[in-house]
Amino acid sequence: NIALVLQDRAARQIGAGEPHSWTSLQGARSTVSVDIPAGNRLVAIQPKNLASLKGVLRRTDHVDVLWTSNIKKGGEASTFLLLQDIPVYSVPYLENDLDKYLRLMLSMEDAALLTHAEENGSLRALIRNPGDDKKRDKPFQVSKSTLKKRMIKQPNAGRNRVELIIV
């Protein structure tokens, strides 16, 4: 029924020229679960920088995830590279969109890790270059003392630098 289609919203972001069907609509009877590969899970998170990703991040992109703990080790919070090269399933794409979640496709272990991290701190999603398939072998940690050491070694590092992304 064409009236049902015209009154419904897309269930996910549909790119220009991307084929879609009845299941692309929120009112469709089919579920998202058919899109999830065996062994993976779809996890919805609220990264702190989600508003800045709207309109920039696309369904086919990959992200790295940083976690800033609210568990103070030695009296200060730390930021860690938590996950790398994670496929994005969906992202709110309109400024006034009520959907406040970034959805990622993860293994069960990574889904548990990400869920625990979100419950104990804040997350940020970093968009990766599609051609960048390198991953860091060693995890890293940044804290207030790390930043102080860097500023002492390189007092002008990162200053007078502005990056603009024009979409």
Side-chain angles (χ1 to χ4, degrees), residues 120-139:
N120 292 285
S122 62
L123 303 171
R124 287 191 184 264
L126 310 174
I127 303 172
R128 290 181 70 97
N129 181 306
D132 181 4
D133 59 356
K134 294 179 185 173
K135 292 185 180 180
R136 296 181 65 94
D137 292 332
K138 295 164 63 174

Side-chain angles (χ1 to χ4, degrees), residues 10-25:
R12 60 175 175 82
Q13 186 172 347
I14 301 170
E18 182 181 340
H20 59 92
S21 65
W22 178 253
T23 59
S24 301
L25 301 175

